[in-house]
Amino acid sequence: MRAIDDGAIKAHADLRFRSEYDYALFEYYRSAKVIAFLERAGVRIGGRVLDAGCGGGGMPMSFAEEARQVIGIDPINRFGSAGVRLARERGLGNLQFALGDGMALPFSSRTFDLVLSHAVIEHVADAPLYLRECARVLTAGGRLYLSTSPYLSFAGAHLPRLKVPVPLHLLVGRPLAFATFRFLARNAAWTLKEPANENSFIKLARRGEIKHDDLLEKVRVARLREQIAAAGLRIIREDLYVTATVRKLPRSLARRVRDSRLLQDVFISNMEYILARGSEPGNGAAPHGGTR
């Protein structure tokens, strides 16, 4: 999926919570933005690609239209009713899915030209090990695409939002905020901004189940950079996207917020990286920061 179709992305975003299949379709159309980011960074998409946390399988399906071979793995078989079906519908014979643990990738070293990690690392129990495994399977000259969000930001918190926009997780801490949202989902769902079909807290509460916190890695900008270096990886490109509130500030002030170790984990809504094995000779590329 090379062309960015904002209309299709919006249309499928509105339907994505109906089923795993619908969410995979949304991921498929949204993946065009990832491909565009990779192309801007000079990354070629044509060899062997691994999606190290593929979810429903929409992103690897998109890359299968560009690459020679794509494999999507996930520890939960979300792709069985979505990615496999979509690949069959589109006749993509170069796309495979498998159950797999990103912290123990079932592949030989230096196997993949491109590894994708889109909104995965925050759900991994051992982020340093996960990064080392991603680095291990990269070929010489291979690239790792990594995206995530700081856990103190609204986007990275993976929590519902109150109709009254109060950053509960910043005021009372994550454990108490998580418990509060579980209580509200069971007893006062009307206080939550997201509708029931988009809110896993409410969905589980209505089924009599308890929502468990799956945010296993508390991502912070500075710590992630340290983890990347410790895994034997180097940053080719780094784009930091600030919240809409910060974008309204004068550009110089917005950059200060973005780069402030005190504020950046709250006001950066998304981070995108291109990484390479640190042992390779440098190509002169410097990390790139965007106040977007």
Side-chain angles (χ1 to χ4, degrees):
M1 183 63 194
R2 182 171 291 270
I4 298 175
D5 187 336
D6 289 324
I9 293 172
K10 173 64 169 63
H12 286 283
D14 292 341
L15 302 174
R16 68 188 186 278
F17 293 106
R18 295 193 313 182
S19 68
E20 200 68 71
Y21 180 85
D22 288 292
Y23 204 98
L25 269 176
F26 163 66
E27 290 179 328
Y28 168 74
Y29 285 101
R30 186 181 59 179
S31 296
K33 294 185 176 181
V34 175
I35 291 175
F37 176 81
L38 290 168
E39 290 181 334
R40 289 195 302 272
V43 178
R44 294 182 60 191
I45 306 167
R48 300 192 72 199
V49 178
L50 170 67
D51 190 331
C54 67
M59 180 171 285
M61 184 179 71
S62 180
F63 276 79
E65 297 176 345
E66 308 291 334
R68 176 165 52 89
Q69 182 184 19
V70 179
I71 298 176
I73 69 160
D74 203 90
I76 301 172
N77 186 11
R78 294 174 55 193
F79 50 77
S81 61
V84 172
R85 174 182 163 188
L86 285 164
R88 188 184 307 117
E89 289 173 354
R90 285 163 171 74
L92 295 172
N94 62 334
L95 174 57
Q96 298 172 282
F97 293 98
L99 288 172
D101 185 349
M103 295 176 291
L105 292 172
F107 306 106
S108 301
S109 299
R110 304 197 177 219
T111 299
F112 295 96
D113 304 296
L114 176 62
V115 175
L116 305 171
S117 176
H118 179 67
V120 175
I121 196 169
E122 62 265 34
H123 302 297
V124 171
D126 190 332
L129 177 57
Y130 174 77
L131 287 171
R132 290 197 300 272
E133 278 293 278
C134 289
R136 179 182 64 80
V137 299
L138 279 179
T139 60
R143 295 292 182 260
L144 166 60
Y145 168 81
L146 173 67
S147 70
T148 187
S149 302
Y151 87 105
L152 292 175
S153 69
F154 267 124
H158 292 279
L159 292 171
R161 298 197 185 196
L162 296 166
K163 286 185 177 178
V164 178
V166 176
L168 197 61
H169 65 292
L170 297 178
L171 297 176
V172 302
R174 182 173 184 84
L176 183 54
F178 197 90
T180 299
F181 282 119
R182 281 200 304 207
F183 174 83
L184 293 175
R186 290 194 305 269
N187 302 287
W190 57 269
T191 63
L192 303 179
K193 184 177 180 181
E194 293 87 355
N197 67 316
E198 298 181 13
N199 190 317
S200 59
F201 282 75
I202 298 176
K203 286 181 183 178
L204 290 173
R206 289 182 174 177
R207 297 205 300 257
E209 300 177 32
I210 297 176
K211 169 76 173 178
H212 296 286
D213 195 351
D214 63 353
L215 198 71
L216 304 180
E217 170 63 25
K218 305 302 189 291
V219 174
R220 303 192 74 146
V221 179
R223 183 166 65 190
L224 180 59
R225 289 170 179 158
E226 293 170 358
Q227 292 171 335
I228 287 169
L233 293 161
R234 60 188 171 89
I235 298 173
I236 300 295
R237 179 172 176 135
E238 175 189 72
D239 276 26
L240 306 177
Y241 302 88
V242 295
T243 62
T245 300
V246 176
R247 290 199 300 271
K248 295 175 183 177
L249 299 174
R251 185 169 297 182
S252 61
L253 183 55
R255 282 198 297 266
R256 285 188 197 175
V257 172
R258 183 199 68 195
D259 298 334
S260 167
R261 291 186 68 135
L262 182 63
L263 300 174
Q264 61 186 181
D265 291 315
V266 175
F267 292 107
I268 290 175
S269 59
N270 190 41
M271 308 148 69
E272 284 187 298
Y273 290 90
I274 303 294
L275 308 174
R277 295 171 70 105
S279 58
E280 296 174 14
N283 64 356
H288 172 83
T291 308
R292 306 180 185 184

